[in-house]
């Protein structure tokens, strides 16, 4: 599955352009980094743990495994210390959410066309 | 307390109801600001000797049920409110009531490009080791029964949550993520099991917890592939003697220091924790003042045969007094020596049927009775040193 398509991290066009390291990108998706450099709250969107695209994204873009993210998110969810990403039902919904939510971040497979969404540059 | 729990239950329903209403009534933005999660777990136990969570000896006890429901709401970017109600029924130790597990207002004070600093107030979960903050949520635990030398179930009321405040900081660097928490508050430790654990079954007074602090420093690499943490707590319990008590109005101080390390690979996982705990008994009059050190450690390995199927093996050891590992003091008091220690070999299998349903089973071979609950084993002279424990768990989450 992971050979058939690649994923890109995408953000709403309101997010300031800046280059982010792999570790900072992980910090965003593990909810340790909760604000953009301009002080706005980051809105994180994700697909379900068992969605093929989520598995590809976790491995290829974060160099992690879905169960590692789950460990971190569960700890937040059930100890009252913050918020976890909002789970969307499909890739179409992901595009729609990231396009229409200021300060949003998510991921999509290959090409998408939406002027309100752009690639997030992670090194 | 009962009244409060009842009130709380109704409040939770109202909160939930209004939460459901608002998600229907308002647009997506409202929906995104409110999150509701929950879990329900039922466990079954069988033991060859000694009782755990009810009458498990030579029978099957369905004695542990845990149901939780939480809601989190973000009125504005820097403020997060979250609340969790917990129903718990655990053998004869916990009779099955709904409690406020946590109720937290979390305010971000400072935002950096690499992290944040904030404060929390309310009823806050106690950070201790790798599992304490979510110890009642089966999905987040490695096994049905957590290593009992560290995550004591019978004295859990001292460890679950405390009413007070917390200062926290998160900082991400290229070389890993650092987290810090300092909590100050009143532990909810007022149950009889804590009393009989510390002073023995004949103490007839009551314990009153003094404000305590708990602090934790953690370091994670590669998004949690490697986790390291140090936790420390300072607890004090003041004893209020009953009318004709043989004990004076003394106090007990408990100071646990816990080191944690974990590796979370794609398939293989390895976890170890080491506990060193200072205990001080003062001013009980008939008992001379004394202090001793307890120690516990475990090593746990896990392997994912499939993404949804995981096997786990652990060895866990506990000594209530490192200068009396064989329990001579217990014997001098006419109690079994094996109350002073417990060594537990366990093996288990976990199957995540879906992302919401999980079932698992485990076997423990235990040498010693140090962590058995007194309420489930009223006559300690009848407890056995070597025993088997079988457990089955079914859990749901959303």
């Amino acid at each position: 599955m992971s050979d058939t398509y690649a994923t890109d991290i995408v953000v709403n066009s309101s997010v300031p352009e800046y280059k982010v390291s792999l570790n900072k990108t992980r910090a965003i998706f593990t909810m340790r980094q909760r604000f953009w450099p301009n002080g706005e709250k980051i809105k994180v969107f994700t697909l379900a743990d068992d969605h093929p695209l989520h598995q590809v994204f976790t491995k290829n873009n974060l160099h992690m495994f879905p169960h590692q993210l789950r460990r971190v998110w569960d700890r937040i969810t059930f100890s009252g210390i913050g918020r976890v990403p909002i789970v969307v039902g499909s890739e179409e919904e992901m595009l729609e959410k990231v396009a229409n939510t200021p300060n949003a971040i998510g991921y999509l497979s290959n090409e998408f066309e939406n002027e309100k969404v752009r690639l997030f540059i992670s090194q | 307390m009962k009244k409060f729990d009842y009130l709380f239950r109704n409040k939770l329903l109202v909160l939930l109801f209004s939460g459901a209403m608002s998600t229907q009534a308002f647009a997506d933005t409202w929906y995104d600001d409110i999150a509701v999660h929950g879990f329900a777990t039922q466990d079954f136990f069988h033991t060859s000797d000694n009782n755990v969570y009810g009458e498990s000896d030579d029978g099957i006890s369905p004695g542990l049920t845990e149901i939780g429901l939480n809601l989190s709401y973000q009125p504005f970017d820097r403020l997060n409110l979250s609340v969790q109600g917990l129903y718990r029924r655990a053998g004869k130790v916990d009779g099955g009531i709904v409690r406020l597990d946590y109720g937290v207002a979390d305010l971000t004070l400072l935002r950096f490009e690499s992290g944040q600093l904030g404060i929390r107030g309310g009823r806050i979960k106690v950070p201790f080791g790798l599992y304490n903050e979510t110890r009642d949520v089966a999905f987040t635990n490695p096994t049905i029964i957590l290593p009992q030398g560290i995550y004591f179930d019978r004295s859990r009321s001292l460890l679950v949550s405390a009413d007070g405040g917390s200062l926290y900081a998160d900082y991400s660097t290229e070389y890993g993520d650092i987290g810090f928490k300092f909590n100050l508050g009143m532990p909810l430790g007022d149950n009889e099991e804590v009393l009989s654990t510390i002073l023995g079954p004949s103490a007839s007074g009551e314990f009153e917890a003094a404000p305590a602090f708990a602090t934790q420093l953690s370091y994670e690499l590669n998004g949690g592939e490697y986790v390291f943490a140090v936790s420390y707590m300072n607890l004090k319990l003041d004893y209020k003697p009953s009318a004709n008590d043989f004990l004076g109005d003394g106090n007990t101080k408990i100071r646990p220091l816990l080191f944690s390390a974990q590796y979370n690979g794609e398939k293989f996982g390895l976890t170890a924790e080491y506990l060193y705990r200072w205990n001080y008994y003062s001013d009980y009059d008939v008992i001379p003042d004394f202090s001793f050190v307890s120690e516990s450690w475990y090593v746990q390995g896990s392997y994912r045969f499939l993404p949804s199927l995981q096997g786990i093996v652990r060895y866990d050891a506990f000594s209530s007094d490192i200068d009396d590992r064989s329990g001579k003091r217990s014997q001098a008091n006419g109690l079994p020596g094996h109350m002073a220690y417990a060594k537990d070999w366990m093996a288990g299998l976990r199957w995540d049927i879906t992302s919401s349903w999980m079932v698992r089973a485990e076997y423990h071979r235990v040498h010693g009775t140090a962590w058995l609950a007194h309420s489930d084993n009223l006559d300690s002279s009848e407890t056995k040193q070597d025993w088997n424990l079988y457990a089955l768990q079914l859990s749901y989450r959303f």
Side-chain angles (χ1 to χ4, degrees):
Chain A
M1 191 68 81
S2 57
D3 300 330
T4 55
Y5 53 169
T7 46
D8 288 315
I9 299 178
V10 293
V11 289
N12 182 276
S13 55
S14 63
V15 173
E17 285 197 44
Y18 75 124
K19 284 189 180 174
V20 188
S21 66
L22 172 64
N23 211 50
K24 294 280 174 70
T25 309
R26 283 174 177 154
I28 291 172
F29 283 93
T30 54
M31 316 305 274
R32 288 174 182 280
Q33 178 69 45
R34 307 206 298 245
F35 297 92
W36 293 117
N38 62 3
E40 293 293 329
K41 183 96 172 188
I42 304 173
K43 296 261 182 187
V44 185
F45 290 94
T46 179
L47 289 157
D49 286 15
D50 52 1
H51 195 288
L53 201 65
H54 178 74
Q55 299 185 0
V56 175
F57 155 74
T58 313
K59 283 188 187 181
N60 293 359
N61 299 80
L62 297 183
H63 299 231
M64 289 173 69
F65 303 105
H67 67 83
Q68 293 173 335
L69 281 176
R70 179 48 55 199
R71 183 187 76 86
V72 175
W73 293 341
D74 279 352
R75 217 171 37 175
I76 297 170
T77 303
F78 295 106
S79 63
I81 59 167
R83 293 296 289 271
V84 295
I86 295 161
V87 180
V88 294
S90 65
E91 202 183 342
E92 293 71 41
E93 194 186 344
M94 177 76 91
L95 177 60
E96 188 249 305
K97 285 281 187 190
V98 176
N100 296 316
T101 311
N103 307 307
I105 187 168
Y107 50 86
L108 294 166
S109 67
N110 46 56
E111 297 99 52
F112 54 90
E113 257 182 66
N114 192 313
E115 72 220 17
K116 290 187 282 182
V117 176
R118 65 175 170 78
L119 286 178
F120 182 71
I121 299 156
S122 168
Q123 316 176 304
Chain B
M1 196 64 198
K2 272 261 149 68
K3 191 179 174 198
F4 173 74
D5 289 321
Y6 174 76
L7 279 173
F8 171 67
R9 198 177 348 208
N10 284 330
K11 245 186 195 159
L12 190 73
L13 285 175
V14 171
L15 261 173
L16 266 184
F17 185 66
S18 55
M21 289 299 286
S22 46
T23 54
Q24 284 171 6
F26 293 84
D28 284 354
T29 50
W30 257 88
Y31 178 83
D32 290 349
D33 286 340
I34 285 189
V36 179
H37 293 276
F39 59 91
T41 305
Q42 177 60 52
D43 295 343
F44 300 91
F45 300 94
H46 168 69
T47 47
S48 61
D49 296 287
N50 310 332
N51 283 317
V52 296
Y53 304 108
E55 289 176 16
S56 60
D57 186 4
D58 296 326
I60 292 172
S61 168
L64 183 59
T65 310
E66 290 162 316
I67 301 168
L69 196 58
N70 69 54
L71 187 144
S72 135
Y73 171 58
Q74 210 157 24
F76 52 94
D77 281 358
R78 284 167 175 245
L79 183 68
N80 189 65
L81 306 171
S82 54
V83 53
Q84 178 161 282
L86 177 71
Y87 167 86
R88 189 168 192 273
R89 187 180 59 90
K92 289 180 180 134
V93 178
D94 210 337
I97 52 166
V98 178
R99 289 193 191 89
L100 176 67
D101 188 37
Y102 61 72
V104 188
D106 180 335
L107 183 69
T108 309
L109 295 178
L110 294 173
R111 302 172 275 195
F112 320 109
E113 200 198 313
S114 301
Q116 56 270 319
L117 180 94
I119 48 170
R120 299 187 175 110
R123 179 166 294 181
I124 307 170
K125 299 297 286 181
V126 175
F128 188 64
L130 298 168
Y131 304 114
N132 192 57
E133 286 167 294
T134 56
R135 59 182 294 152
D136 301 317
V137 189
F139 274 84
T140 69
N141 291 342
T143 50
I144 300 173
I145 296 179
L146 283 171
Q148 289 296 299
I150 293 171
Y151 301 96
F152 278 97
D153 227 21
R154 58 169 191 211
S155 34
R156 52 175 264 117
S157 60
L158 287 174
L159 295 169
V160 276
S161 35
D163 293 338
S166 167
L167 177 76
Y168 69 92
D170 298 298
Y171 195 74
S172 298
T173 73
E174 292 317 302
Y175 309 100
D177 307 312
I178 298 160
F180 175 73
K181 288 172 188 163
F182 183 88
N183 291 20
L184 189 66
M186 290 293 281
L188 312 177
D190 55 355
N191 80 21
E192 285 174 22
E193 195 61 35
V194 175
L195 184 69
S196 69
T197 300
I198 294 174
L199 290 179
S202 51
S204 57
E206 278 180 14
F207 263 141
E208 213 170 78
F213 77 81
T215 185
Q216 187 175 62
L217 182 67
S218 65
Y219 175 66
E220 299 199 4
L221 264 169
N222 297 345
E225 186 179 6
Y226 296 90
V227 180
F228 302 94
V230 185
S231 317
Y232 179 71
M233 267 196 283
N234 192 331
L235 292 161
K236 185 177 173 231
L237 293 159
D238 291 316
Y239 185 67
K240 307 288 167 207
S242 62
N244 298 311
D245 213 319
F246 68 103
L247 292 166
D249 57 348
N251 65 78
T252 297
K253 297 185 196 83
I254 303 166
R255 292 174 185 163
L257 174 65
L258 178 59
F259 298 93
S260 314
Q262 185 169 58
Y263 168 73
N264 293 299
E266 180 175 19
K267 292 189 170 153
F268 182 64
L270 190 63
T271 305
E273 294 196 283
Y274 177 83
L275 172 82
Y276 194 86
R277 194 178 77 202
W278 292 270
N279 310 274
Y280 304 90
Y281 287 57
S282 317
D283 306 326
Y284 285 107
D285 299 345
V286 288
I287 317 175
D289 290 2
F290 72 111
S291 64
F292 59 95
V293 170
S294 313
E295 181 192 64
S296 184
W297 59 274
Y298 72 87
V299 177
Q300 169 182 286
S302 64
Y303 190 80
R304 279 171 211 275
F305 303 102
L306 300 166
S308 60
L309 187 69
Q310 192 179 27
I312 193 156
V313 176
R314 181 174 69 219
Y315 178 73
D316 162 26
F318 172 70
S319 283
S320 61
D321 182 349
I322 58 170
D323 292 323
D324 179 25
R325 290 188 189 267
S326 61
K328 291 194 180 71
R329 200 171 66 215
S330 291
Q331 285 170 321
N333 291 326
L335 297 166
H338 53 72
M339 285 178 78
Y341 52 84
K343 293 166 186 174
D344 179 358
W345 268 107
M346 71 77 60
L349 209 54
R350 165 178 175 159
W351 179 30
D352 286 272
I353 307 163
T354 67
S355 54
S356 289
W357 285 96
M358 181 262 285
V359 62
R360 64 180 159 193
E362 65 193 41
Y363 165 70
H364 295 248
R365 175 67 184 169
V366 194
H367 177 74
T369 56
W371 45 256
L372 282 180
H374 174 71
S375 314
D376 288 320
N377 300 274
L378 290 174
D379 185 356
S380 53
S381 68
E382 283 186 11
T383 57
K384 302 283 191 301
Q385 175 176 256
D386 293 285
W387 50 294
N388 299 313
L389 189 164
Y390 305 83
L392 183 72
Q393 178 173 71
L394 181 66
S395 189
Y396 173 76
R397 58 166 287 162
F398 67 92

